[in-house]
Amino acid sequence: MDEDEWLARHGVRPDERGLDEVRTLLAEQIRLERESQGYGDTILMRLCCVQLFLAAALEDVLLIWSAKTASWDADCSIDIELLCAAGLEQTKAYLSGLSAPEGQAALKRLLHCEDAGYFDEFSPSGQSASYLAYYA
């Protein structure tokens, strides 16, 4: 399934059942991409991450992080801002409370990007509007 087919099936804002399918598809694409760079569809992975961003569930942060870190191509395709649907401060607090190494790695990258100015103009609503316009 490609990006266009996935969008036709679920739209940019899937319902709860659709979000479960997004998580399943994203996990499968992560597995493929980790197997060998290029096996996963990083364009489709990005769309799945956008769909999860628009749902704004903190529980999806590590799945999005896993997608971002699946390969060099995925890292370039999946915006760091996609981790922060609940807001930068809330996401940092959430990651700070996790003991998993992945959570700490994601927090370290967020802090680095924040220091570099990536989030100076960031807001979840502004980012959402940008993604909605892109996929319209």
Side-chain angles (χ1 to χ4, degrees), residues 6 10 23-24 33 37 41 47 68 96 98 101 125 135:
W6 192 253
H10 290 289
R23 291 178 187 105
T24 300
E33 190 66 12
Q37 186 168 333
D41 182 339
L47 172 58
K68 182 165 182 58
S96 293
L98 299 177
S125 62
Y135 287 105

Side-chain angles (χ1 to χ4, degrees), residues 71-86:
S71 70
W72 186 83
D73 285 348
D75 192 48
C76 293
S77 297
I78 298 169
D79 307 323
I80 190 71
E81 292 87 352
L82 286 166
L83 298 175
C84 301

Side-chain angles (χ1 to χ4, degrees), residues 53-54 81 84-85 121-134:
F53 176 89
L54 293 171
E81 292 87 352
C84 301
E121 302 294 321
F122 174 80
S123 73
S125 62
Q127 200 73 21
S128 293
S130 174
Y131 292 131
L132 288 169
Y134 179 82

Side-chain angles (χ1 to χ4, degrees), residues 3 12 52-53 62 84 105 135:
E3 176 189 38
V12 182
L52 294 176
F53 176 89
L62 287 183
C84 301
Y135 287 105

Side-chain angles (χ1 to χ4, degrees), residues 28-30 32-34 36-43 45:
E28 175 64 12
Q29 292 299 312
I30 292 167
L32 289 169
E33 190 66 12
R34 287 188 189 276
S36 183
Q37 186 168 333
Y39 280 19
D41 182 339
T42 56
I43 302 300
M45 289 169 68

Side-chain angles (χ1 to χ4, degrees), residues 108-121:
K108 183 177 178 181
R109 176 86 70 89
L110 274 181
L111 293 171
H112 173 76
C113 290
E114 182 181 27
D115 288 344
Y118 284 44
F119 291 95
D120 288 352
E121 302 294 321

